[in-house]
Amino acid sequence: MPALPNLILVGPMGAGKSTIGRLLAADLSRDFLDSDHEIQSRCGADIPWIFDVEGEAGFRDREAQMIRELAEREQVVIATGGGAVLREENRRVLRESGTVIYLYTTVSQQLRRTAKDRNRPLLQRDDRRQVLEEMFVLRDPLYQATSDIIVRTDRRGPRAVAGDILRRVERLVDPLQCKA
């Protein structure tokens, strides 16, 4: 069977991109790269600070540069930030760089998973549900248009989701295989 391509995870905050990405990387003996963590490491500052100082546009510029850099790597698993798909350039780079997997989750699930998280600048408002619903309306079509595979993460453990992704990616690479 041909080698699996880079696996690139997109989806909203709270979908499990980092957790599932680490599991996939471990299963495939690959490096795991999280674009948000790479930006923080390079800047020496956390994302809320970057948003405060540079605004969302400044952060998105850094994100686009990081996505270009990570996409040049081979045999990796990449988790993107939830807003990475907002720029057409990012969507193009992601599609050209591997198999893009959209980790779909509901707004209710996102609320549960991000309830205590204070490192998400876009959620530092009173009506978190409304913010997430507005982001979903804008971003869901972009995630769908960018992805090769859509996987639901609601009410499923990370290990089950990772196994599902591996089976589906293997079928994309070798459609004649008989694994269920």
Side-chain angles (χ1 to χ4, degrees), residues 37-48:
H37 292 148
E38 296 293 324
I39 291 167
Q40 292 178 124
S41 176
R42 171 117 8 119
C43 293
D46 64 14
I47 290 173

Side-chain angles (χ1 to χ4, degrees), residues 27-86:
D27 289 346
L28 296 169
S29 299
R30 291 184 174 188
D31 288 337
F32 171 68
L33 305 165
D34 181 306
S35 64
D36 284 350
H37 292 148
E38 296 293 324
I39 291 167
Q40 292 178 124
S41 176
R42 171 117 8 119
C43 293
D46 64 14
I47 290 173
W49 186 88
I50 297 168
F51 264 74
D52 285 345
V53 172
E54 298 178 6
E56 185 172 358
F59 173 77
R60 297 291 173 212
D61 290 341
R62 289 180 182 276
E63 181 178 57
Q65 175 61 36
M66 185 57 65
I67 285 172
R68 284 190 302 273
E69 289 179 31
L70 297 179
E72 292 175 2
R73 306 269 306 264
E74 294 182 3
Q75 300 298 302
V76 295
V77 176
I78 301 170
T80 63
V85 297
L86 293 172

Side-chain angles (χ1 to χ4, degrees), residues 85-101:
V85 297
L86 293 172
R87 291 192 176 178
E88 172 55 37
E89 172 195 3
N90 292 347
R91 296 190 302 269
R92 180 188 52 75
V93 168
L94 295 172
R95 283 190 301 264
E96 293 172 355
S97 303
T99 298
V100 181
I101 300 116

Side-chain angles (χ1 to χ4, degrees), residues 94-110:
L94 295 172
R95 283 190 301 264
E96 293 172 355
S97 303
T99 298
V100 181
I101 300 116
Y102 171 18
L103 298 182
Y104 176 91
T105 192
T106 62
V107 169
S108 293
Q109 188 69 37
Q110 284 181 272

